[in-house]
Amino acid sequence: MKPRTTARLYWTLTILFCLMMLADGVAGLLHEQNGVAAMKALGFPVYIMDITGAAKILGALALLQNKYRTLKEWAFAGFAIDFIGAAASVAFAGLGAVGTLPALVMTAVLFGIYFLWKRYLASRAQTASADDTDAAFATPAAATL
């Protein structure tokens, strides 16, 4: 895959994913009716929606920034824990294997975005090193002395 294609695919999927997580986070903070019913069905207290809602909003913002890589890594980890925990909670609550599918699909999407991010970073590093090499050869040796 070409670096430009990787970048476009990465940013498109990341923006769509973050929009979904922002919407879900806001819905959690507002205690949306379906979310409250799901929390009660799983046996969780409703205030968990406040914690996970705020975390999803902050995680989405962390994925959209490019300055702090460690923060982005932690956001990926947080979303992975959230989705795997959601799938496990649904399975352990006895709501059926089909109920785990949305969380498992989102986990797969998240892993795909993570893979694209690593490819995007590698292509950017390769481009930057190629630019540095070109600049070094373009500069006359006498000018560097």
Side-chain angles (χ1 to χ4, degrees):
M1 188 180 315
K2 293 181 182 178
R4 190 172 185 174
T5 305
T6 302
R8 286 182 177 170
L9 188 58
Y10 164 70
W11 281 112
T12 301
L13 291 176
T14 300
I15 289 169
L16 291 173
F17 179 83
C18 289
L19 287 173
M20 287 190 291
M21 291 302 101
L22 286 170
D24 192 33
V26 169
L29 290 176
L30 296 176
H31 290 244
E32 194 267 332
Q33 199 171 23
N34 292 330
V36 171
M39 287 294 120
K40 288 182 180 178
L42 292 171
F44 290 122
V46 177
Y47 69 82
I48 293 291
M49 293 176 68
D50 295 326
I51 298 167
T52 58
K56 285 179 182 179
I57 291 170
L58 292 173
L61 295 175
L63 291 183
L64 291 173
Q65 62 85 29
N66 250 354
K67 187 172 183 180
Y68 303 105
R69 289 184 184 175
T70 305
L71 182 63
K72 191 176 271 203
E73 291 274 357
W74 277 98
F76 276 116
F79 281 122
I81 291 166
D82 181 52
F83 296 141
I84 293 169
S89 295
V90 169
F92 293 144
L95 300 177
V98 175
T100 63
L101 286 179
L104 295 176
V105 167
M106 289 303 288
T107 304
V109 170
L110 182 72
F111 287 159
I113 293 171
Y114 183 80
F115 172 76
L116 286 171
W117 177 54
K118 289 299 186 175
R119 296 273 308 255
Y120 172 69
L121 289 177
S123 68
R124 282 183 50 197
Q126 188 177 13
T127 304
S129 68
D131 290 344
D132 290 344
T133 304
D134 292 343
F137 286 120
T139 306
T144 59
L145 298 177

